[in-house]
Amino acid sequence: MARRGKPKGRPISGWVILDKPKGLGSTDAVSKLKWLYFAQKAGHAGTLDPLASGMLPIAFGDATKTVPYVMDGQKVYRFTVRWGAETATDDTEGPVLRASDLRPEQAAIEQVMHAYRGEISQVPPQYSAIKIDGERAYDLARGGESVEIAARGVTIHRLDIVSMPDAQTTIFEAECGKGTYVRALARDMGRDLGCFGHVIDLRRLSVGAFDEADMVTLEELEAAADEGRETLGEEAVTAGARARVVDFTPLDDYLLDASEALGELYEVSLSDEQSARVLSGNPVLLRGRDAPAFCDEAFATGLGRLIAIGTIEQGSFHPRRVFGGR
């Protein structure tokens, strides 16, 4: 029987909140950062199309266990709609399907927008990652198939007009829940207005507990990697591919603790002794008059980092998922 090799890379844990540039796919972005950080494990919270820019939260190591909490969080998008044409992809990549000479006034747009706030029913774009009989909708669409995608409920908490640069375009900002497609929002508003429309620019500003202040650019990360190389000296850098970065301190300065993803949960602060017990999978009694007796979901921090996610029952914290435990 073949022996399993030692995992390749560093066993780091944490989040890097990438300001993804246009033209870079989400999977490629994760691969790039995994390579830069020489990380054993990485994943992202919420795909961004290559044509979109902005926040792409990327988790390393144990922090990948908190990805669902980020994906379930609210997201804020700023997007620009060009009126007068509906495309096959609902953005600039696809051919025009329908066109109109009509251009809407702001008052007409504001009137239509009321129907797109709150809980609404939305049909995802044909070119989306929705699975149809095990196949991605965009793969079927690219193969020439016309697929029926069922409408689903989504929640739009806020939808505002930011500006109208000209008669052709309107810039919006939307705060929405999981599963909302901004491209479908532009498509449907265009149909209601009778002028059609598609997205020409899309930027994600926040995801869950993360906001714009947390974002770091790829250029900043590459500069941090270069700083780590510079500490080695030219001879060491040219010695081999894996020697490209040995001092990861400049890169690791951009790592956020896994607990940063759990901003909406109750936090339990543990002593070193309590942390050791929880890391071994044992419950601990919470002390202090403000400690809750019951909580459906909470997270515990100690030893300077996230320790566990669990429940509080009869004044004791019971770990369900341990981070970095034995």
Side-chain angles (χ1 to χ4, degrees), residues 123-276:
V123 177
Q126 290 274 314
Y127 287 78
S128 65
I130 299 293
K131 283 194 172 182
I132 309 293
D133 296 328
E135 300 286 337
R136 297 291 185 186
Y138 54 64
D139 288 331
L140 297 173
R142 287 166 185 155
E145 293 187 46
S146 179
V147 296
E148 289 290 331
I149 303 179
R152 58 184 184 174
V154 298
T155 302
I156 299 177
H157 304 277
R158 177 172 59 85
L159 179 62
D160 300 316
I161 293 176
V162 176
S163 65
M164 294 186 67
D166 52 55
Q168 298 272 91
T169 55
T170 304
I171 300 174
F172 295 91
E173 192 166 287
E175 183 176 354
C176 50
K178 183 180 179 181
T180 304
Y181 280 89
V182 170
R183 287 180 290 138
L185 186 60
R187 175 200 67 203
D188 294 342
M189 286 195 294
R191 289 176 181 176
D192 286 351
L193 289 163
C195 65
F196 309 119
H198 63 280
V199 171
I200 62 171
D201 187 69
L202 174 62
R203 180 168 175 79
R204 189 156 65 190
L205 303 178
S206 71
V207 181
F210 302 120
D211 59 28
E212 287 184 272
D214 297 316
M215 284 199 281
V216 56
T217 66
L218 190 55
E219 290 77 15
E220 287 175 308
L221 294 174
E222 288 174 334
D226 287 340
E227 188 178 340
R229 293 189 189 98
E230 289 170 2
T231 63
L232 304 178
E234 184 177 348
E235 183 177 344
V237 171
T238 57
R242 184 44 55 202
R244 67 188 185 278
V245 177
V246 169
D247 181 5
F248 286 94
T249 304
L251 275 169
D252 290 348
D253 284 343
Y254 288 106
L255 274 177
L256 302 179
D257 188 74
S259 63
E260 295 291 331
L262 307 174
E264 295 185 1
L265 301 185
Y266 181 83
E267 180 179 359
V268 175
S269 296
L270 302 179
S271 66
D272 290 355
E273 181 181 351
Q274 288 176 315
S275 298

Side-chain angles (χ1 to χ4, degrees), residues 65-84:
K65 298 175 184 178
T66 65
V67 164
Y69 296 92
V70 179
M71 294 189 68
D72 288 344
Q74 295 179 22
K75 302 170 181 66
V76 175
Y77 295 92
R78 182 164 292 187
F79 61 103
T80 303
V81 177
R82 176 165 292 159
W83 307 113

Side-chain angles (χ1 to χ4, degrees), residues 22-73:
K22 289 182 181 180
L24 182 66
S26 296
T27 301
D28 292 336
V30 172
S31 297
K32 176 71 173 178
L33 264 64
K34 186 179 179 182
W35 181 85
L36 277 176
Y37 275 87
F38 192 37
Q40 285 183 1
K41 184 178 181 181
H44 66 76
T47 301
L48 265 185
D49 294 336
L51 290 181
S53 67
M55 184 174 291
L56 181 66
I58 296 177
F60 296 116
D62 263 1
T64 57
K65 298 175 184 178
T66 65
V67 164
Y69 296 92
V70 179
M71 294 189 68
D72 288 344

Side-chain angles (χ1 to χ4, degrees), residues 55-127:
M55 184 174 291
L56 181 66
I58 296 177
F60 296 116
D62 263 1
T64 57
K65 298 175 184 178
T66 65
V67 164
Y69 296 92
V70 179
M71 294 189 68
D72 288 344
Q74 295 179 22
K75 302 170 181 66
V76 175
Y77 295 92
R78 182 164 292 187
F79 61 103
T80 303
V81 177
R82 176 165 292 159
W83 307 113
E86 182 176 315
T87 69
T89 56
D90 301 317
D91 59 22
T92 58
E93 280 198 310
V96 173
L97 300 179
R98 293 189 283 185
S100 170
D101 293 328
L102 180 66
R103 299 295 179 268
E105 298 289 336
Q106 181 167 338
I109 299 171
E110 289 175 343
Q111 185 173 1
V112 163
M113 284 165 54
H114 289 297
Y116 294 94
R117 296 188 180 108
E119 296 182 5
I120 68 169
S121 179
Q122 185 183 75
V123 177
Q126 290 274 314
Y127 287 78

